Amino acid sequence: MSVLGVHGIGNRKYFTRAGDDLALANRAIGADWLRWIGQGGAKYAPTRPPVEALPVVYYADCLDQDIPMGTADVESLGPLGRELFVTWAEEFGRAGLGERWADQISQNGTHKWLVRKPAEALVKHFGEQVRDLLARASDSLACYFDPLDTGRREKVRQRVADALREHRPRVVLAHSLGSVVTYETLCADPDLGEGIDLLVTLGSPLGVPRVVFDRLDPAPGVKGMPGVKGIRPPRVKRWVNIADVGDPVALPPGRLGERFEGLDEDITVSLNVLNPHGVKNYLMCRELADVLGRHLG
């Protein structure tokens, strides 16, 4: 059975290590994904036929980011990145600490998108890891959503569309920002969903209000209308979402169905306290092995 992966935020390292050779970067990330999903399958679904090939759509080279690679300096974010970071901090804190947190974050001073105080608050209550992850995620999303340079968004989506046409996968695994790109690509061209039996989103920010959900294209509905939901991508037969309960990118865990109709399963897991968003942990988890076992067995 054909399986296609779509990577998430970051991953520039594959392109750099490959000497800016896109084909080599594609092979390297595909080899990692194949190894990780194989390890999970061997451990949790030993009777399942192994995934023999797992091409991964590589697009990190399309996103020119503001934060230098390997850092998470929130004050280096551009205007949209700062906006997304503060908004994300509000939503993450609200999920954990309630409205009082969100009110404090939104009252940062005279400029709405000052980032220092939200960054300090995240570190105080949740640790540096959460701040750094949200900074990198905001940076990637700002590049992707940038209204002043829509060419990057179009190029990334075209890569996914080309891979869908080439591989005709029956299963698509989309992590993090990759779930956003995949969702938009499938909704923009319903023919691309033909033959996809299963879409699995991993650590997906699709449902984060004001950060991702309200920026989707095609839009789920008229902005400002309460209760408007997104849909399962056309012609995709089944959609399963898996999110770690501690993953600050996938907000709020276990509640993506509140934002999207047609989500068949919304599975929460607890994978790794120190790295709740890492794709390796998602690909190796029991829950994904179980889901794939029902479709690959």
Side-chain angles (χ1 to χ4, degrees):
M1 178 178 287
S2 176
V3 182
L4 178 70
V6 186
H7 75 70
I9 62 172
N11 289 290
R12 183 80 183 195
K13 62 184 179 182
Y14 287 100
F15 196 62
T16 303
R17 292 173 182 172
D20 295 352
D21 186 308
L22 181 59
L24 290 179
N26 263 300
R27 285 200 291 271
I29 194 171
D32 279 347
W33 277 46
L34 183 62
R35 183 174 68 256
W36 295 330
I37 204 168
Q39 290 172 351
K43 183 175 182 179
Y44 298 117
T47 62
R48 186 196 78 198
V51 177
E52 296 182 353
L54 208 173
V56 176
V57 183
Y58 189 81
Y59 60 83
D61 58 302
C62 300
L63 302 178
D64 298 323
Q65 298 168 270
D66 293 315
I67 292 181
M69 189 172 63
T71 71
D73 180 6
V74 294
E75 295 193 20
S76 295
L77 289 167
L80 180 55
R82 290 177 174 226
E83 176 184 340
L84 293 174
F85 178 80
V86 174
T87 305
W88 218 326
E90 288 182 28
E91 295 298 333
F92 182 69
R94 178 182 287 113
L97 298 176
E99 293 298 327
R100 182 180 177 183
W101 160 277
D103 291 341
Q104 291 175 344
I105 293 299
S106 62
Q107 295 172 4
N108 286 310
T110 56
H111 194 291
K112 186 176 182 183
W113 305 122
L114 288 176
V115 294
R116 181 174 296 176
K117 287 186 178 180
E120 291 173 349
L122 285 171
V123 171
K124 177 181 178 181
H125 291 281
F126 304 105
E128 293 183 356
Q129 180 190 8
V130 169
R131 176 204 60 194
D132 294 351
L133 179 55
L134 290 185
R136 292 191 181 96
S138 299
D139 193 26
S140 293
L141 283 166
C143 292
Y144 183 72
F145 286 136
D146 188 354
L148 301 180
D149 189 353
T150 58
R152 288 180 292 196
R153 189 177 194 173
E154 293 169 359
K155 188 174 182 179
V156 172
R157 283 171 43 162
Q158 189 61 52
R159 290 237 179 127
V160 174
D162 289 344
L164 289 169
R165 293 189 182 98
E166 176 184 355
H167 297 286
R168 289 295 174 187
R170 293 181 59 190
V171 176
V172 177
L173 307 176
H175 176 242
S176 187
L177 173 57
S179 69
V180 179
V181 180
T182 302
Y183 182 87
E184 289 192 334
T185 304
L186 289 170
C187 287
D189 185 352
D191 289 341
L192 292 174
E194 188 68 41
I196 297 178
D197 294 332
L198 175 66
L199 168 65
V200 182
T201 48
L202 306 164
S204 174
L206 274 167
V208 184
R210 299 184 297 149
V211 176
V212 173
F213 183 79
D214 301 297
R215 300 175 189 271
L216 290 173
D217 174 37
V222 180
K223 291 185 177 181
M225 290 184 62
V228 171
K229 290 187 175 184
I231 59 170
R232 182 198 301 158
R235 302 186 184 177
V236 171
K237 293 181 180 178
R238 187 168 181 80
W239 178 13
V240 175
N241 184 63
I242 301 176
D244 191 299
V245 293
D247 190 341
V249 172
L251 293 179
R255 295 173 57 186
L256 192 62
E258 296 178 8
R259 294 275 175 183
F260 293 89
E261 301 281 3
L263 179 64
D264 296 283
E265 290 186 76
D266 199 1
I267 301 170
T268 56
V269 295
S270 182
L271 301 176
N272 190 306
V273 174
L274 297 179
N275 188 14
H277 189 62
V279 67
K280 178 179 179 179
N281 296 318
Y282 277 114
L283 291 174
M284 292 179 62
C285 76
R286 178 191 298 274
E287 289 76 10
L288 179 60
D290 290 343
V291 169
L292 293 179
R294 299 197 298 268
H295 287 81
L296 301 178

